[in-house]
Amino acid sequence: MENVLEVRELSKQYTKVLAADKVSFDIKKGEIFALIGPNGAGKTTTIRMISTLLTPTEGDAVVSGHSVLKEPEKVRQCITYLPDEAGAYKNMTGKKYLRFMAGLFSTDIDTINKYVERAENICGLGDRLKDKIGSYSRGMIRKLLLARAVMTKPDLAILDEPTSGLDVLNAIEIRKMIKKLAADEGMSFLLSSHNMLEIEFVSDRVGIIAKGHLLVSGRTDELKARYNAANLEEVFERVVNDNEIL
Amino acid sequence: MKFFNLLKKELAELLNLQTVISLAVTMAMLMFLGSFMSSTIEEAVKQEYTVTLCDRDKTDFTAELIETLRKNNAIVSEVTSDSEDFSQLLSTAGKDSIIVIPQGFTEDLNAGKAPELISVSEMRSAAMMSNMSNNNDGAERLIRNCISNVFAERAGLTAEDVQLINAPVSISEYTVVKDKTSEVSAEEVMSNIMMQNMLLPIIVFVLIMMTSQMLMSAISNEKIDKTLETLLSAPVSRTAVLGAKMLAAAIVAMINAVCFMVGFSGMMSGATDSVKAEFEGTAINEYIPIDSALEQLGLTLGGVDYVLVGIQLFLTIMICLSVSLMLGALVNDTKQAQTMVMPLMFAAMIPYMISMFADVNNLPIVIRLIVYIIPFTHTFSAIPNLMFGHMGIFLIGLVYQTLAFAVCMFFALKLFKSDKILTVSLNFGQKSKFKKAKKNENQ
Ligand SMILES: Nc1ncnc2c1ncn2[C@@H]1O[C@H](COP(=O)(O)OP(=O)(O)OP(=O)(O)O)[C@@H](O)[C@H]1O
Ligand SMILES: [Mg+2]
């Protein structure tokens, strides 16, 4: 199967911190890949480089054949990015927001309408879409943003902590939606999360990252077998501990 | 078009109900202020001939004097009181100014002495307009004339002689600007250019402040509301995102400027019309019309001048936009957003204030250079420079502003296209989010 994303030795040096150190991994079409790691591990930094928001100090990432260094605009055409802690324009209604964002991905009215309609169905906000976003709860905003991230059926949807701020039922719904989109539409996902249970349920493959290093990556069941662990949480604990000792 | 979509969004953010209402209110207030000013000036002009008299002499001569006042369009009201307490005198009369003709007035006059007249006026406030109506000048002048006529008659002089004594020379006033001359008084020219030149700096100042404030909040709000990353990850170039924001800010600032222009010219014309009415019938009408005098002096601006001023204004706005772009990009929270506008405000305020009270070209050289480093100074001095033919300074200013714009824009774009737009954090004392994260990590 072809690779939607190829990350090659991606590094990011902030003024003082080396936030990502030669991170490499691939994501295949229709695959859900999750980056897991403790706070400050470099997940968001890696994701931001793939989303063309930050320039890598070293290495490259190729999305659907386009390099983030050489063709950032083509990359952005192929991806959507849901940032961690993102907000939406408070003075817009939910519907206006979807329309505005759709208008950035396409100039064709029919396509825009199609995108908006999809997002409306996915977000499940119903009539509240006619209200100003300023009146939404955190969870509602998150759902709106998630719907907007998948409405264009990008080759790769990059979701930084997709279910943060959502209640259990909504989180389950979102996970199911992600799985369904990957299976039915062949969309690929790059997620990051702290919630191991969620990751175990939703992702095909995971990469464990700590202090900027991608320590291991592989299929969930493979990793569990390799580390002789009952669940991903244990795998995570062992991997992080092993590397701490080194 | 994607750019249009961006522009529409930016305009909608800037032109919400609140801003439109506040704009309408400002305009209405200015108009109201204009009509208020014109009515107080009219009042002041009218009141000059209203006089309250307290005649304590009560002779045929004083009665005749009062009659003369009446004949000369003075509205005279008489009160009788023997009080020596002037404050009480005013309050019993219910007036704020009063002229007392003391006992022995006619006697003194007949004895060939200059008789004494007592003029009392109350001061209620320090406002310029309110005190204009409080004086007895008009009546005093008339009485003085009457008395000098009496003396003249006694000395055997005719009315013509008196006139000659009062105006022994006739002065023809000329004003020279460079090599051009016109028969007009310098004060008259000044007051006319002033009105004209007061309006533009206000508009420019408003324009600068509005534009920078709007663009800065357009950018800082994206950061504060955490919408910037989503926007920048969409398939539009950062230049387009910036361009839309700049254009929207410029458009809305223009709308604001036009509204202010309408409001202010309403206010100014209210004020000037009534001042002109005051001068009606006086010697000023004997001069040639002021407009043609200004033209003779070369103080009017021609088509080319307007184009030049327009270019300068455009450059000013562009500088403003590029600087606020940088400042806006540095903002991370609402509190910073408020302080960040300060540098621009001072940069606009200093030349604005100076242009109101002084000519930059006459300042000491060191101060002049410092002031001219601020690009906006060139905007405020543009019209005076063009009017008085300082073409060299004007052109240097134009070149300087172009350079300033190029440099500012270069750095603004660089900042916006780099990681800095997302990673920069100005920490005035407070602990950085990242440092905190690091600390947690170490625990
Ligand atoms: N703008 C920045 N300037 C300097 N250092 C930064 C910046 N952003 C992140 N860092 C540092 O880079 C490292 C990785 O941060 P990053 O945000 O990628 O972590 P993360 O894995 O997303 O953490 P979390 O789970 O808390 O979201 C941290 O040590 C952080 O302090
Ligand atoms: Mg993160």
Side-chain angles (χ1 to χ4, degrees):
Chain A
M1 244 198 288
E2 60 185 296
N3 284 332
V4 171
L5 174 70
E6 290 173 8
V7 181
R8 293 286 164 261
E9 310 215 312
L10 212 51
S11 304
K12 181 70 191 179
Q13 171 80 56
Y14 288 120
T15 341
K16 289 191 190 118
V17 193
L18 182 61
D21 188 8
K22 298 206 163 85
V23 173
S24 303
F25 61 92
D26 296 331
I27 299 179
K28 292 190 175 61
K29 189 167 164 43
E31 193 177 45
I32 302 169
F33 184 91
L35 276 176
I36 53 178
N39 291 119
K43 303 183 292 292
T44 303
T45 304
T46 308
I47 282 176
R48 280 172 152 193
M49 284 189 285
I50 299 167
S51 314
T52 76
L53 292 173
L54 297 182
T55 330
T57 20
E58 242 181 275
D60 196 358
V62 178
V63 184
S64 300
H66 305 295
S67 150
V68 292
L69 293 178
K70 293 185 202 102
E71 306 169 291
E73 260 179 75
K74 289 219 171 103
V75 170
R76 289 201 290 271
Q77 193 75 53
C78 306
I79 61 159
T80 54
Y81 170 46
L82 171 68
D84 179 18
E85 295 186 334
Y89 303 103
K90 296 192 184 88
N91 288 324
M92 282 192 197
T93 64
K95 183 143 180 168
K96 267 242 176 73
Y97 177 72
L98 292 174
R99 217 155 233 296
F100 165 65
M101 288 307 293
L104 297 181
F105 282 84
S106 173
T107 45
D108 175 49
I109 296 285
D110 290 337
T111 318
I112 292 176
N113 286 338
K114 207 175 72 200
Y115 288 166
V116 174
E117 198 181 318
R118 257 169 69 86
E120 279 174 344
N121 292 333
I122 292 168
C123 73
L125 290 173
D127 272 352
R128 290 301 304 272
L129 277 173
K130 293 192 191 108
D131 296 341
K132 289 222 165 130
I133 295 176
S135 73
Y136 288 12
S137 73
R138 245 164 68 93
M140 287 168 75
I141 294 179
R142 199 74 188 153
K143 273 161 79 177
L144 181 75
L145 291 174
L146 257 166
R148 128 36 233 167
V150 296
M151 71 182 173
T152 55
K153 288 193 203 166
D155 294 349
L156 177 69
I158 303 171
L159 314 176
D160 200 351
E161 321 238 349
T163 55
S164 80
L166 290 180
D167 62 37
V168 180
L169 290 180
N170 278 313
I172 292 174
E173 199 187 313
I174 296 299
R175 281 173 219 147
K176 282 188 180 149
M177 183 193 87
I178 292 173
K179 278 196 94 125
K180 190 166 176 294
L181 283 168
D184 298 355
E185 318 264 1
M187 261 172 73
S188 311
F189 288 88
L190 169 59
L191 315 177
S192 93
S193 181
H194 292 120
N195 187 337
M196 301 298 154
L197 218 71
E198 166 174 301
I199 293 302
E200 197 167 352
F201 170 78
V202 80
S203 55
D204 303 315
R205 285 197 308 134
V206 296
I208 297 178
I209 188 170
K211 293 192 174 165
H213 299 278
L214 187 70
L215 302 174
V216 281
S217 66
R219 298 190 58 85
T220 325
D221 39 5
E222 270 173 27
L223 289 179
K224 276 195 285 193
R226 198 193 310 171
Y227 286 89
N228 194 16
N231 55 35
L232 204 54
E233 218 156 81
E234 278 181 33
V235 175
F236 180 75
E237 199 189 355
R238 270 169 216 172
V239 171
V240 172
N241 283 340
D242 282 0
N243 283 277
E244 210 105 297
I245 295 160
L246 287 176
Chain B
M1 228 176 96
K2 286 180 188 175
F3 181 77
F4 190 70
N5 187 28
L6 283 169
L7 181 63
K8 209 173 74 184
K9 171 228 157 202
E10 297 300 339
L11 281 176
E13 295 261 309
L14 292 178
L15 278 179
N16 51 32
L17 195 64
Q18 248 175 337
T19 54
V20 172
I21 288 176
S22 74
L23 198 61
V25 169
T26 322
M27 224 166 100
M29 287 234 306
L30 289 174
M31 296 286 214
F32 172 75
L33 208 64
S35 62
F36 171 75
M37 268 167 72
S38 82
S39 68
T40 43
I41 290 174
E42 266 163 33
E43 190 89 332
V45 172
K46 222 175 9 191
Q47 290 252 328
E48 208 185 19
Y49 296 101
T50 308
V51 62
T52 310
L53 269 177
C54 177
D55 184 4
R56 290 181 183 159
D57 204 28
K58 294 242 183 290
T59 58
D60 287 347
F61 177 75
T62 56
E64 202 184 310
L65 202 60
I66 292 166
E67 206 42 50
T68 319
L69 283 178
R70 289 213 165 97
K71 271 189 214 140
N72 280 287
N73 294 333
I75 304 157
V76 184
S77 53
E78 286 186 75
V79 290
T80 42
S81 162
D82 285 331
S83 173
E84 283 303 313
D85 181 350
F86 293 138
S87 131
Q88 205 189 334
L89 186 66
L90 285 177
S91 65
T92 43
K95 301 285 177 185
D96 48 18
S97 64
I98 203 163
I99 290 180
V100 182
I101 303 176
Q103 218 169 1
F105 186 86
T106 319
E107 219 168 275
D108 278 351
L109 184 65
N110 291 339
K113 283 198 281 181
E116 184 199 18
L117 200 65
I118 300 168
S119 169
V120 185
S121 38
E122 186 187 6
M123 201 166 145
R124 284 207 185 119
S125 80
M128 218 160 52
M129 294 283 185
S130 68
N131 284 324
M132 265 169 86
S133 59
N134 281 356
N135 59 45
N136 291 327
D137 287 355
E140 280 166 29
R141 210 182 309 131
L142 273 169
I143 294 175
R144 205 178 292 132
N145 279 347
C146 289
I147 306 291
S148 54
N149 278 343
V150 171
F151 282 128
E153 226 168 283
R154 282 199 199 140
L157 296 171
T158 61
E160 281 92 62
D161 292 334
V162 175
Q163 235 171 35
L164 215 59
I165 289 169
N166 284 340
V169 281
S170 80
I171 299 172
S172 301
E173 291 191 84
Y174 287 89
T175 303
V176 175
V177 175
K178 293 214 145 177
D179 53 350
K180 302 194 180 92
T181 309
S182 177
E183 187 176 359
V184 66
S185 79
E187 289 110 68
E188 175 74 346
V189 173
M190 265 314 285
S191 74
N192 265 276
I193 315 181
M194 271 268 280
M195 282 297 176
Q196 220 179 63
N197 282 11
M198 239 159 80
L199 190 67
L200 197 88
I202 296 174
I203 304 290
V204 172
F205 184 70
V206 169
L207 207 60
I208 292 177
M209 289 319 298
M210 287 267 175
T211 323
S212 41
Q213 188 110 57
M214 275 185 301
L215 185 61
M216 273 182 63
S217 59
I219 291 167
S220 61
N221 281 349
E222 297 261 10
K223 294 185 85 176
I224 294 166
D225 296 341
K226 303 241 185 303
T227 49
L228 187 63
E229 288 186 42
T230 316
L231 187 61
L232 295 184
S233 71
V236 282
S237 70
R238 288 191 187 185
T239 327
V241 171
L242 267 193
K245 283 186 190 297
M246 287 171 70
L247 188 58
I251 290 174
V252 176
M254 287 292 179
I255 296 175
N256 272 296
V258 168
C259 289
F260 266 78
M261 198 117 68
V262 171
F264 265 111
S265 52
M267 181 177 117
M268 288 296 193
S269 72
T272 37
D273 281 356
S274 41
V275 170
K276 278 209 184 103
E278 188 189 359
F279 285 120
E280 209 83 41
T282 64
I284 281 177
N285 277 0
E286 290 163 19
Y287 289 111
I288 52 169
I290 186 69
D291 290 344
S292 41
L294 289 180
E295 209 162 314
Q296 271 180 6
L297 292 172
L299 290 182
T300 49
L301 295 178
V304 179
D305 295 328
Y306 279 114
V307 171
L308 286 174
V309 171
I311 293 173
Q312 186 132 46
L313 218 60
F314 175 76
L315 275 172
T316 305
I317 300 213
M318 293 316 278
I319 293 174
C320 213
L321 287 174
S322 51
V323 173
S324 35
L325 214 61
M326 285 191 273
L327 294 177
L330 297 177
V331 169
N332 279 312
D333 58 49
T334 336
K335 223 165 78 191
Q336 283 178 359
Q338 280 158 1
T339 48
M340 270 303 174
V341 78
M342 297 296 274
L344 261 171
M345 195 159 109
F346 282 120
M349 192 87 105
I350 292 168
Y352 171 54
M353 289 296 178
I354 290 177
S355 78
M356 284 220 301
F357 300 114
D359 179 358
V360 185
N361 295 327
N362 289 340
L363 294 173
I365 180 92
V366 180
I367 299 179
R368 198 187 330 164
L369 283 178
I370 293 173
V371 174
Y372 266 134
I373 287 176
I374 306 173
F376 300 139
T377 307
H378 301 279
T379 318
F380 286 108
S381 59
I383 288 201
N385 277 343
L386 280 176
M387 269 185 168
F388 291 96
H390 305 312
M391 205 59 190
I393 301 176
F394 177 84
L395 288 178
I396 290 172
L398 212 58
V399 172
Y400 178 66
Q401 282 193 321
T402 315
L403 279 176
F405 165 60
V407 170
C408 291
M409 201 62 211
F410 173 78
F411 282 110
L413 277 178
K414 203 170 155 176
L415 179 67
F416 220 83
K417 291 208 155 187
S418 73
D419 296 353
K420 293 235 167 51
I421 180 73
L422 294 170
T423 58
V424 83
S425 63
L426 294 179
N427 294 304
F428 301 118
Q430 83 245 40
K431 243 190 207 161
S432 142
K433 187 175 111 195
F434 304 114
K435 277 188 202 137
K436 271 187 225 155
K438 190 116 199 273
K439 230 174 165 184
N440 294 339
E441 182 193 346
N442 291 340
Q443 275 162 9

